[in-house]
Amino acid sequence: MNFFDTDFHCHILPGIDDGASDLDVSLSLIKTQAAQGVKTIIATPHYRKHELSVERFLKRRQTAYESVMSHAYPGMPRILLAAEIALEHNLYELDDIEQLGNAEMNTLLLEFPFTTSYHKWMVEEVEEIAYKTRMQIIIAHIDRYVDIFSESEINEILSIPDAIFQLNLSAFSERKGKKLAKKLIKEEYPILFGTDCHNMTSRKPNFDALAKNMKKYEPHPKVQNLFR
Ligand SMILES: [Fe+2]
């Protein structure tokens, strides 16, 4: 398991969010990821505090995971369970928020809202969660915010202490996303990648873009630490 064979963000579990609609789609996604070089999949279904308790989410996630594992095949990528947690006011007060993280790597993947403009509370909330949980915060698909937040707002997110920034591999095929990816690489931010794949049509696995665009890249020490 390393930086170049781990998909840090994807929606491959069946019937739990807007990702894989059923088991067939899940298995197609997993097989495609595997063919593109993925050996470890971190499954990150959406979690929204205002919709569901952590307890119910974990039960639903476990059921979805078990249905995939009942069709496990030799050489299938390993699947680790986590979540893509939507930032909301007072999210840090959620007692069992740690359980939404990737237990093996002690990480929490947090997503900024797309439905509202940028506000300072968002970064403050992330810092509260980091402080409370002592877990490694990963900011989901930083490249996707370039269309909704200003450059100075993106810079505020990038200045969150100790965070790791996840990029979607689709960033490499988009002008603004590619520009941001290049900046983060050049300025040596701790970054990692995910496909954020949801289905086999509009949001397909594209893990092959990692090897293509990141040849000879040396991951940031903070990211390398995740694999120890
Ligand atoms: Fe996602």
Side-chain angles (χ1 to χ4, degrees):
M1 181 183 189
N2 64 50
F3 175 88
F4 288 99
D5 64 18
T6 304
D7 187 350
F8 269 91
H9 181 166
C10 58
H11 300 265
I12 53 125
L13 296 180
I16 185 168
D17 61 1
D18 60 343
S21 51
D22 58 34
L23 185 59
D24 281 349
V25 177
S26 292
L27 295 170
S28 298
L29 289 169
I30 293 166
K31 282 178 184 158
T32 307
Q33 284 166 300
Q36 294 172 347
V38 176
K39 293 203 169 76
T40 301
I41 294 171
I42 302 177
T44 52
H46 290 286
Y47 174 78
R48 297 181 184 92
K49 171 173 157 266
H50 68 272
E51 286 179 358
L52 203 63
S53 68
V54 171
E55 192 187 349
R56 284 199 58 200
F57 171 82
L58 295 179
K59 272 189 193 147
R60 290 184 55 191
R61 191 185 64 180
Q62 187 62 24
T63 304
Y65 172 72
E66 282 169 12
S67 74
V68 170
M69 294 315 288
S70 69
H71 286 72
Y73 58 89
M76 187 172 97
R78 194 161 66 114
I79 299 175
L80 301 180
L81 296 175
E84 177 177 15
I85 311 164
L87 264 188
E88 293 184 29
H89 284 288
N90 304 322
L91 181 63
Y92 79 96
E93 289 177 350
L94 200 64
D95 281 337
D96 31 14
I97 189 168
E98 289 89 347
Q99 294 191 53
L100 298 170
N102 168 358
E104 188 157 317
M105 293 181 153
N106 198 37
T107 55
L108 273 185
L109 181 70
L110 298 175
E111 177 185 45
F112 279 64
F114 285 95
T115 48
T116 174
S117 50
Y118 177 83
H119 291 284
K120 281 217 179 302
W121 69 261
M122 297 171 186
V123 162
E124 288 164 7
E125 192 70 48
V126 175
E127 289 172 0
E128 290 280 7
I129 294 166
Y131 181 76
K132 181 190 166 189
T133 63
R134 304 284 168 187
M135 293 173 82
Q136 172 63 61
I137 300 294
I138 301 178
I139 303 298
H141 44 52
I142 184 80
D143 53 290
R144 287 192 63 200
Y145 309 128
V146 292
D147 291 324
I148 54 167
F149 299 154
S150 70
E151 196 176 336
S152 67
E153 290 165 348
I154 299 276
N155 284 337
E156 280 191 39
I157 300 174
L158 289 172
S159 66
I160 296 172
D162 299 324
I164 291 176
F165 302 96
Q166 181 255 316
L167 290 131
N168 280 0
L169 284 157
S170 57
F172 290 113
S173 46
E174 288 153 11
R175 190 181 58 84
K176 283 188 193 169
K178 196 169 185 171
K179 191 177 158 206
L180 180 69
K182 281 186 172 170
K183 169 192 153 88
L184 300 190
I185 294 163
K186 188 168 170 238
E187 296 178 13
E188 298 182 4
Y189 278 89
I191 56 169
L192 45 78
F193 291 87
T195 62
D196 201 3
C197 62
H198 281 64
N199 53 51
M200 290 300 292
T201 52
S202 55
R203 299 179 78 178
K204 291 187 262 196
N206 58 349
F207 200 78
D208 42 351
L210 183 63
K212 207 158 116 194
N213 289 282
M214 300 297 289
K215 248 179 247 152
K216 293 184 189 161
Y217 175 71
E218 178 96 14
H220 189 283
K222 201 183 281 178
V223 173
Q224 294 200 27
N225 261 335
L226 298 179
F227 298 100
R228 294 218 171 99

